[in-house]
């Protein structure tokens, strides 16, 4: 069966994907799904959980899901596994420099989280990564194009990397509907135009796809991260 042309898949000419954005935009959920999509393409895949400062959701909580799909988790270990400390796991460098390994770097939200990456940015940039900013209109710092631009520039400055694409991920957690996504899509297009960056795709929960027939490309998201009070 031919693949649905509306659906997004990770570009095969990129090996590393750096996911940046404010708290609550859905970076971790996207990072998990993106790493799983890399594995589904037949790549050796890894997910580096660098959401190290005040994390709300953590990729490392889904290590079993990742392992079952053949995705290696790179995260702090031992006593640092659950600590809110900027400790970069040594195995990150295997992902950065091993040309046979593809992967996603899930970076902490806002300027503080992005700062963790700054000291390592030069080596990562040499690998020509995709650096994508997650836009969620429902977040206060993405409520308008100018506010989102300020957030993007601040995060870029702290991360030491220039964003080269926008991921649209407007959601309201469990209250998200197709209309939520469609309304956010217009704001995301305006923001991408203002930033002079391509709108890479629209991220949406898989069960909403039938209500998004006019939207393309769409990255179907399966939900893995429960809110803390649902764990």
């Amino acid at each position: 069966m031919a693949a649905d042309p509306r659906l997004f898949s990770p570009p095969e000419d990129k090996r590393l994907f750096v996911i940046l954005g404010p708290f609550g935009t859905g970076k971790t959920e996207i990072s998990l799904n993106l790493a799983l999509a890399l594995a589904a393409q037949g790549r050796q895949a890894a997910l580096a959980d660098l959401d190290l400062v005040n994390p709300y959701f953590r990729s490392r909580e889904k290590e079993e899901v990742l392992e079952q799909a053949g995705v290696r988790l790179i995260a702090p270990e031992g006593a640092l596994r659950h600590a809110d400390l900027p400790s970069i796991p040594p195995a990150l460098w295997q992902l950065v420099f091993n040309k046979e390994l593809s992967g996603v770097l899930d970076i902490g939200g806002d300027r503080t989280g992005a700062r963790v990456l700054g000291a390592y940015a030069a080596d990562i940039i040499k690998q020509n990564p995709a650096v994508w900013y997650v836009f969620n209109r429902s977040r206060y710092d993405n409520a308008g194009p100018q506010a989102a631009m300020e957030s993007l520039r601040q995060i870029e400055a702290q991360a030491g990397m220039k964003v080269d694409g926008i991921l649209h991920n407007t959601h309201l957690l469990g209250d998200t509907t197709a209309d939520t996504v469609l309304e956010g899509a217009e704001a995301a297009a305006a923001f991408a135009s203002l930033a002079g960056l391509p709108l890479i795709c629209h991220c949406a929960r898989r069960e909403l796809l039938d209500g998004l027939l006019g939207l393309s490309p769409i990255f179907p998201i399966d939900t893995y991260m429960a809110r803390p009070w649902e764990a």
Side-chain angles (χ1 to χ4, degrees):
M1 181 181 296
D4 187 335
R6 291 190 310 136
L7 301 186
F8 167 86
S9 60
E12 296 186 5
D13 63 345
K14 291 292 184 181
R15 184 176 71 84
L16 297 180
F17 300 83
V18 179
I19 308 301
L20 299 164
F23 291 114
T25 50
K27 295 184 311 302
T28 295
E29 198 77 82
I30 290 172
S31 296
L32 274 164
N33 279 268
L34 188 57
L36 293 169
L38 291 173
Q41 289 179 330
R43 306 200 210 184
Q44 294 183 48
L47 172 57
D49 181 357
L50 302 181
D51 199 352
L52 305 172
V53 181
N54 268 336
Y56 187 65
F57 294 131
R58 282 174 154 152
S59 305
R60 70 199 77 162
E61 297 170 6
K62 299 302 172 183
E63 184 171 11
E64 184 176 347
V65 172
L66 294 166
E67 286 184 348
Q68 288 176 352
V71 178
R72 178 182 177 185
L73 175 66
I74 297 173
E77 299 179 352
L80 295 175
R81 186 172 181 84
H82 300 290
D84 295 341
L85 296 171
S87 172
I88 298 293
L92 172 64
W93 300 116
Q94 296 176 30
L95 172 57
V96 172
F97 293 115
N98 184 350
K99 303 292 186 180
E100 301 302 315
L101 194 57
S102 298
V104 182
L105 283 71
D106 178 16
I107 310 303
D110 224 332
R111 290 168 291 173
T112 303
R115 190 179 301 128
V116 171
L117 191 64
Y120 307 88
D123 287 318
I124 295 171
I125 289 170
K126 290 177 184 177
Q127 308 303 315
N128 190 29
V131 183
W132 292 340
Y133 175 94
V134 180
F135 173 89
N136 177 354
R137 187 192 180 197
S138 300
R139 288 289 305 162
Y140 71 91
D141 33 20
N142 282 178
Q146 291 295 341
M149 276 298 301
E150 182 178 353
S151 167
L152 184 151
R153 296 306 181 209
Q154 290 176 342
I155 289 174
E156 282 183 328
Q158 295 297 329
M161 294 185 183
K162 299 294 290 185
V163 168
D164 55 30
I166 305 299
L167 299 177
H168 168 227
N169 190 45
T170 296
H171 68 84
L172 295 169
L173 296 175
D175 295 325
T176 306
T177 66
D179 285 342
T180 306
V181 179
L182 291 171
E183 290 169 5
E186 185 175 349
F191 169 52
S193 177
L194 179 65
L197 295 170
L199 181 55
I200 302 298
C201 65
H202 304 274
C203 305
R205 294 204 319 267
R206 194 176 297 275
E207 61 266 28
L208 299 177
L209 294 186
D210 287 346
L212 301 172
L213 296 179
L215 211 55
S216 177
I218 299 176
F219 184 30
I221 296 294
D222 293 310
T223 303
Y224 296 100
M225 304 307 301
R227 285 164 279 188
W229 56 90
E230 295 176 333

